Amino acid sequence: MNLTINNLSKTYSNGVRALENVSLTIPSGLFGLLGPNGAGKSTLMRTIATLQEADDGDIWLDDLNILEQKHDLKQILGYLPQEFGFYPKDRAMDLMDHLNLLKGISNKRERAQMVEYILKKVNLWEARKQRIGTFSGGMKQRFGIAQALLGNPKLLIVDEPTAGLDPYERRRFHNLLAEIGRDIIVILSTHIVDDVSNLCTNMAIIDKGRILLQTVPGEIISEFENKIWEMDATGIDMETFSENYHVISTRLFAGKTIVRIYSGSNPGDDFLAVEPILEDVYFYTLSTRS
Ligand code: ADP
């Protein structure tokens, strides 16, 4: 199964060009859409979910024309929006049952079976009688996935799902997405590079409404071998330094300022060649956009 996006564009009424000629091919598995805040990720996610209209372009799930056949898409789409509203006083199981009814499952036993199956899958079966308002951030996000899994979607869209989760909850959430991504297309929109490097088999980088790169994380990282260098730049004037080198990032480590640069050849004795990571690819790509 493939999701194919062709030349999608969207300009809001205030003149912001949120999507500019976006084309992507997204196969089964976990796909990471990585970009800074305001890049256009949510606009793209909402457009694929047919919650808003594009000005131009089309989207296909195999031979289903999504923007034309919205009803058919709804049958196979699961969506966890950035802001997921729920009724805090509802108990997890009751709300799932209700949402399942809204999905059109009228048989009570069938609904109960599906709710049990999904709540177990997202590890919330034990908490099924708990009010959702008492859930932790991670539990809420897993509940968000649970509701998105109702109706067995073939395409699951999750928009910025790990923002605000602690490391333990994040890892748990990653494991859940990885499991789901074995069978269907999962699009994970995020500004967190680690979400993509840990999870995704395919990815794209988006900024200012444009796709800057579509790639496979492992492959692109190996293209950066021998091109990333580090130096202790404590006390150095960064403005002058940046004029001479292609700075990718700086970080503090044990009170020192460590600078990472991109260079195709050895930049000098003060530098140490280091293993590239996806963050290098991300910052490099953002810094070289035309
Ligand atoms: P992201 O999800 O990557 O943070 P968004 O798709 O939310 O990006 O936003 C892309 C751009 O479109 C931003 O500049 C944002 O301010 C603008 N934008 C988003 N929604 C609207 C809207 N409803 N009306 C006008 N501008 C919007």
Side-chain angles (χ1 to χ4, degrees), residues 77-93:
L77 171 76
Y79 178 50
L80 175 58
Q82 211 170 341
E83 305 282 331
F84 174 58
F86 52 83
Y87 313 99
K89 290 200 170 144
D90 275 349
R91 296 178 200 280
M93 197 164 67

Side-chain angles (χ1 to χ4, degrees), residues 52-187:
Q52 70 178 62
E53 305 268 327
D55 301 329
D56 278 306
D58 45 64
I59 309 176
W60 297 81
L61 187 62
D62 287 343
D63 51 8
L64 177 73
N65 185 340
I66 282 186
L67 303 183
E68 299 283 320
Q69 293 161 274
K70 291 184 185 165
H71 182 74
D72 293 333
L73 174 75
K74 292 251 155 66
Q75 308 296 319
I76 50 172
L77 171 76
Y79 178 50
L80 175 58
Q82 211 170 341
E83 305 282 331
F84 174 58
F86 52 83
Y87 313 99
K89 290 200 170 144
D90 275 349
R91 296 178 200 280
M93 197 164 67
D94 299 340
L95 181 55
M96 281 290 282
D97 185 61
H98 179 67
L99 294 170
N100 212 0
L101 186 63
L102 293 180
K103 277 260 165 188
I105 315 287
S106 55
N107 183 302
K108 204 169 174 192
R109 179 187 289 251
E110 198 184 324
R111 280 206 311 276
Q113 278 172 351
M114 187 178 261
V115 168
E116 179 174 346
Y117 172 76
I118 295 176
L119 285 181
K120 281 184 174 162
K121 189 168 182 130
V122 301
N123 250 308
L124 285 177
W125 182 243
E126 305 283 296
R128 65 191 179 278
K129 292 182 182 155
Q130 223 171 297
R131 293 185 198 281
I132 299 166
T134 68
F135 279 5
S136 69
M139 289 166 87
K140 279 179 191 154
Q141 285 305 68
R142 279 185 278 127
F143 185 79
I145 289 290
Q147 61 80 30
L149 287 177
L150 286 168
N152 274 328
K154 292 192 171 71
L155 170 64
L156 178 68
I157 295 175
V158 284
D159 199 354
E160 303 267 1
T162 64
L165 297 190
D166 70 34
Y168 171 76
E169 286 178 330
R170 204 149 121 236
R171 195 163 62 224
R172 196 162 180 174
F173 195 79
H174 280 177
N175 289 338
L176 175 62
L177 286 182
E179 194 190 322
I180 297 166
R182 274 190 225 125
D183 306 318
I184 63 174
I185 299 177
V186 180
I187 307 178

Side-chain angles (χ1 to χ4, degrees), residues 256-289:
K256 291 179 182 161
T257 305
I258 307 293
V259 63
R260 252 169 123 87
I261 69 156
Y262 176 93
S263 174
S265 56
N266 189 337
D269 290 345
D270 296 335
F271 291 88
L272 196 67
V274 288
E275 281 297 312
I277 55 175
L278 193 60
E279 195 177 72
D280 298 322
V281 176
Y282 179 55
F283 286 138
Y284 178 81
T285 305
L286 290 181
S287 70
T288 53
R289 79 187 299 276

